Amino acid sequence: MSDKKSIVLLEANQLSRLIRNKEISCREVMEIYLDHIESFNPRVNAIISMRDKNSLLKEADEKDIALEKGEYQGWLHGIPFAVKDLALTQGITTTRGSPIFADNVPDKDALIVERIKKAGAIIIGKTNTPEFGLGSQTYNSVFGATGNAYNHQLTAGGSSGGAAAALAMYLLPVADGSDMMGSLRNPAAFNNVIGFRPSQGRVPLTESNELFINQMAYEGPMGRCVKDVALLLATQAGRDDRAPLSLNETGDQFTESLVMDCTDVRVGWLGDLQGHLPFEEGILSLCEKARNTFSAIGCEVNTVAIDIDFETVWNAWRTLRHISVAHSLEPLYSDPGKRKWLKPEALWEIENGLGLSAMQLMQASAVRTLLYKKIIALFDEVDYLILPSAQVFPFDKNSHWPETISGREMDTYHRWMEVTILGSLTGCPIANVPAGFNESGLPTGIQIIGRPQRDMAVLRLAHAYEKATHWIAKNKPDAIKESELIRYLL
């Protein structure tokens, strides 16, 4: 490496080794990243609520002193990290993308933040998200919209849009996110990075959004390579008794080798769900090419179908989501002074949720269980399922959501994200991996779905696919390719 400025182009695991071996100091890493963020973050508005530079450099110095004393905290020791703005961060503004919380400074960290800090990370700020994470378009009235790494006038997706754009622009080495309806997958697809939604209970949630009956939104990792994603998952995962649905396992397995033999691995292609889903021109053809990559690495790939009425599944999804959002936001809705600040999509979710009965909830749960059984039956025929991660390419960041896809009207603000709900409803582990670019240079992705609690198996197939394609390494955003960073790397 001819100049240390190019450390931002390293994978997080590579940067971690340099720090641990004292080949670069934590202060140098922080200075370089802060300079890079200052230069490039204004183009995409991905990182928000940045901490004071002097405070961050002081903390970096403390990490260096700890290393000199032999006190290595973990693989994230000294690495700059920005947390999605839905998770509580002690002493750092947590707005949830809402003007109601524009001045909210928590006095504690969320569990996921506790674990990231314990592994040695330095929290530099937050990553932008839509209001309360609603919708796969990262904009809000507090910080504005986040631009796509490949075209800054288009959306980064969401709700982990700030995290995805920050990764693609090399503003962060690795990032966290959360996912109810594709929020770790859709923005990853829009920005040509990796997003991983873990199995239900893999990463415990200790806030009020994890109840015995509420099993919709999960937290998970994002990165520019599968190895970084697996390492962050190892940090995030592990039982916590405060989270009743958390799995009784540590995250140690995710530090093991990702290498696998794909010979005779059975992959089922779900495509457009038997014609149920509309796609923008070019999405399916790119994902078909990605499907061929799975064949090239040794997998046996066949088209499979789910014998279920997808409209019934969609209606069940709506019911469950309405109730989940209404439960979370009802205290704000019941206060007229706060209700006026809620965006229309939030009001729509809440008001629909408040009008539902317990019987409707149980009926939706029955449909969800039926879908789960159908998916499990498919896993008797195949080892993995694949389908696109998004139904459209990135669109204008000033447009709140696509109203039509290929001439088909979208009847809700989130209908265009329907491709993500199979995994969300069934609690299966899912990785988004890049699937290529259209003629306009815009990326898309493909979902790899595995059996419940087989997270490592999904990561291993994603790793094998990554090694066969190198989509991320070979396709940096123009803003990065045209920068001095590439000159330093050569």
Side-chain angles (χ1 to χ4, degrees):
M1 186 173 295
S2 58
D3 192 285
K4 288 184 176 180
K5 286 186 178 181
S6 58
I7 64 160
V8 299
L9 300 177
L10 294 177
E11 296 172 356
N13 67 86
Q14 295 170 330
L15 178 59
S16 177
R17 285 196 297 274
L18 291 180
I19 291 172
R20 185 170 192 178
N21 295 335
K22 301 178 187 177
E23 296 177 52
I24 190 168
S25 70
C26 298
R27 170 175 267 268
E28 287 176 306
V29 170
M30 183 60 70
E31 288 175 332
I32 290 166
Y33 263 95
L34 291 180
D35 286 348
H36 184 65
I37 290 168
E38 183 178 2
S39 295
F40 287 88
N41 188 54
R43 307 189 190 198
V44 289
N45 188 35
I47 300 179
I48 54 174
S49 301
M50 284 285 295
R51 291 176 58 200
D52 172 69
K53 180 176 182 179
N54 290 333
S55 298
L56 291 172
L57 291 175
K58 180 181 178 182
E59 191 168 341
D61 288 339
E62 291 168 354
K63 298 292 184 183
D64 284 325
I65 292 170
L67 271 181
E68 289 299 326
K69 293 179 178 179
E71 298 169 358
Y72 182 67
Q73 295 170 344
W75 84 282
L76 291 174
H77 190 110
I79 288 183
F81 200 106
V83 177
K84 184 175 177 179
D85 199 26
L86 294 182
L88 297 178
T89 43
Q90 183 178 21
I92 305 174
T93 306
T94 300
T95 74
R96 302 172 70 191
S98 169
I100 298 170
F101 296 105
D103 299 316
N104 175 47
V105 181
D107 59 6
K108 66 176 183 178
D109 288 321
L111 174 61
I112 191 172
V113 180
E114 290 177 3
R115 290 181 171 181
I116 289 167
K117 284 184 174 180
K118 187 177 180 180
I122 300 175
I123 308 301
I124 63 171
K126 307 299 283 285
T127 54
N128 204 19
T129 187
E131 182 179 315
F132 302 113
L134 298 177
S136 194
Q137 212 284 54
T138 296
Y139 70 93
N140 59 64
S141 60
V142 185
F143 297 107
T146 294
N148 190 282
Y150 290 85
N151 182 330
H152 307 331
Q153 302 309 308
L154 305 182
T155 180
S159 61
S160 307
L167 285 168
M169 292 291 287
Y170 296 84
L171 307 177
L172 297 172
V174 68
D176 73 297
S178 56
D179 184 313
M180 177 185 282
M181 194 178 181
S183 293
L184 281 158
R185 294 164 278 162
N186 183 279
F190 276 18
N191 289 276
N192 192 46
V193 295
I194 311 291
F196 186 76
R197 176 184 164 105
S199 289
Q200 178 182 313
R202 178 68 66 196
V203 178
L205 296 170
T206 56
E207 304 305 314
S208 60
N209 55 349
E210 172 149 312
L211 309 172
F212 278 108
I213 200 170
N214 190 5
Q215 307 162 16
M216 302 283 282
Y218 306 166
E219 292 178 324
M222 304 179 79
R224 291 190 299 271
C225 69
V226 177
K227 184 172 183 178
D228 288 350
V229 167
L231 288 173
L232 184 55
L233 181 59
T235 300
Q236 297 171 324
R239 174 75 185 176
D240 188 291
D241 286 341
R242 293 171 294 175
L245 302 175
S246 59
L247 298 176
N248 191 27
E249 298 177 5
T250 70
D252 292 349
Q253 62 178 300
F254 304 114
T255 64
E256 298 173 2
S257 172
L258 290 166
V259 176
M260 72 175 289
D261 182 0
C262 295
T263 305
D264 299 326
V265 168
R266 302 168 301 168
V267 174
W269 165 248
L270 290 169
D272 60 4
L273 301 183
Q274 297 113 263
H276 174 71
L277 297 174
F279 285 90
E280 185 176 346
E281 182 69 27
I283 297 278
L284 283 175
S285 59
L286 284 173
C287 289
E288 287 278 4
K289 290 180 181 178
R291 167 184 170 169
N292 293 336
T293 299
F294 288 99
S295 299
I297 62 177
C299 299
E300 177 187 336
V301 185
N302 292 295
T303 299
V304 295
I306 306 172
D307 182 20
I308 199 167
D309 180 66
F310 290 110
E311 198 63 25
T312 300
V313 172
W314 172 253
N315 290 331
W317 167 261
R318 276 191 53 179
T319 294
L320 294 167
R321 182 177 168 94
H322 286 327
I323 289 175
S324 177
V325 175
H327 172 265
S328 175
L329 299 184
E330 190 277 334
L332 304 179
Y333 180 83
S334 14
D335 182 339
K338 294 177 180 176
R339 182 192 308 175
K340 67 181 181 180
W341 295 108
L342 297 174
K343 70 178 182 178
E345 293 84 355
L347 293 171
W348 178 79
E349 294 278 16
I350 297 165
E351 289 168 357
N352 275 281
L354 294 176
L356 292 166
S357 68
M359 182 56 72
Q360 287 172 299
L361 170 60
M362 296 307 294
Q363 289 169 341
S365 296
V367 173
R368 183 181 186 183
T369 302
L370 176 62
L371 174 66
Y372 175 83
K373 290 178 177 178
K374 297 285 186 180
I375 294 291
I376 293 301
L378 271 183
F379 282 126
D380 290 335
E381 303 173 19
V382 299
D383 302 302
Y384 303 88
L385 297 167
I386 57 173
L387 75 166
S389 295
Q391 291 169 244
V392 297
F393 289 104
F395 52 89
D396 187 344
K397 68 181 181 183
N398 296 310
S399 174
H400 290 182
W401 46 278
E403 296 183 2
T404 61
I405 300 178
S406 296
R408 193 183 305 182
E409 184 177 352
M410 300 291 100
D411 55 1
T412 71
Y413 80 99
H414 54 12
R415 189 71 187 248
W416 62 279
M417 302 148 57
E418 187 176 358
V419 71
T420 66
I421 70 171
L422 292 184
S424 296
L425 285 170
T426 55
C428 294
I430 318 163
N432 167 81
V433 292
F437 295 76
N438 67 5
E439 293 179 355
S440 299
L442 299 178
T444 193
I446 192 166
Q447 299 178 74
I448 303 173
I449 305 177
R451 290 176 179 268
Q453 300 187 35
R454 303 286 181 84
D455 303 56
M456 191 58 168
V458 172
L459 290 167
R460 283 179 170 143
L461 183 58
H463 177 74
Y465 174 90
E466 173 186 49
K467 295 304 179 185
T469 58
H470 300 287
W471 280 118
I472 298 172
K474 293 180 178 179
N475 295 276
K476 294 177 174 63
D478 286 345
I480 299 301
K481 288 191 294 186
E482 294 166 1
S483 73
E484 63 180 8
L485 292 170
I486 299 300
R487 176 170 60 84
Y488 282 128
L489 187 64
L490 296 176

